[in-house]
């Protein structure tokens, strides 16, 4: 009896969980986070295979006692509706480096630099009706800022 009950419960739970994932979707585990030190890449969830609707991801890059630099290597979001904004400071809402946010398929050409902290805020809307089609998302390089370092190419 116990094995039947466990089997029934497990199959019910798995079918319920899978239907929730397939029908409703679950938040992407890669949406937001904190990176401390080093050098690497941050990408939008699902990059380069597209991203979900209704995302509100916040990424923090922190390099203690150093200047942080962020440079976009690839960029493709829904124009006017899905955007990435860059902020500098210990807290995202404090005075300092603030950008209006980027959307579309033009690669932002500037790199952003700030002491110790840079925030990336990626927000998407509910659908792609205004700009139908596939949008792969974005990829950004983060690293310690060296003023005379060669910019890395894609």
């Amino acid at each position: 009896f116990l094995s039947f009950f466990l089997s029934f419960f497990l199959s019910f739970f798995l079918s319920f969980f899978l239907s929730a994932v397939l029908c409703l979707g679950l938040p992407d585990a890669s949406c937001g986070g904190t990176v401390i030190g080093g050098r690497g890449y941050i990408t939008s969830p699902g990059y380069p295979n597209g991203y979900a609707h209704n995302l509100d991801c916040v990424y923090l890059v922190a390099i203690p006692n150093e200047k942080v630099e962020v440079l976009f290597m690839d960029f493709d979001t829904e124009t006017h509706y899905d955007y990435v904004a860059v902020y500098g400071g210990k807290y995202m809402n404090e005075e300092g480096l603030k950008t209006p946010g980027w959307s579309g398929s033009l690669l932002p050409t500037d790199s952003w630099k700030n002491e110790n902290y840079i925030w990336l805020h990626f927000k998407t809307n509910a659908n792609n009706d205004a700009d139908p089609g596939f949008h792969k998302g974005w990829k950004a390089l983060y690293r310690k800022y060296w003023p005379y370092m060669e910019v890395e190419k894609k």
Side-chain angles (χ1 to χ4, degrees):
F1 175 76
L2 184 59
S3 64
F4 171 76
F5 177 74
L6 288 175
S7 171
F8 175 77
F9 178 74
L10 185 58
S11 66
F12 174 77
F13 176 76
L14 285 176
S15 65
F16 177 77
F17 179 75
L18 287 175
S19 66
V21 169
L22 296 175
C23 296
L24 303 175
L26 290 178
D28 193 311
S30 64
C31 182
T34 301
V35 177
I36 300 176
R39 164 190 160 86
Y41 295 96
I42 297 174
T43 62
S44 56
Y47 175 87
N49 300 315
Y51 53 84
H53 305 299
N54 294 317
L55 293 175
D56 192 1
C57 308
V58 176
Y59 304 85
L60 169 62
V61 179
I63 303 180
N65 304 313
E66 298 290 346
K67 197 166 201 171
V68 181
E69 179 180 31
V70 170
L71 173 70
F72 285 98
M73 308 304 288
D74 197 9
F75 200 89
D76 179 26
T77 66
E78 183 185 14
T79 304
H80 303 297
Y81 296 98
D82 302 343
Y83 69 88
V84 180
V86 181
Y87 305 91
K90 187 172 184 177
Y91 304 102
M92 195 167 84
N93 59 355
E94 75 180 36
E95 290 300 317
L97 169 70
K98 292 182 182 177
T99 65
W102 280 267
S103 67
S105 58
L106 292 177
L107 183 66
T109 56
D110 291 335
S111 69
W112 290 272
K113 301 156 213 60
N114 198 66
E115 293 296 326
N116 304 312
Y117 306 97
I118 287 188
W119 299 81
L120 300 174
H121 183 204
F122 179 48
K123 189 156 179 68
T124 68
N125 70 343
N127 57 45
N128 284 336
D129 291 341
D131 186 10
F134 173 77
H135 300 284
K136 64 181 170 181
W138 51 270
K139 177 180 180 180
L141 168 69
Y142 66 87
R143 63 185 176 193
K144 175 182 170 181
Y145 174 66
W146 292 91
Y148 303 106
M149 181 177 262
E150 174 78 19
V151 173
E152 183 176 315
K153 303 295 180 204
K154 290 189 220 178

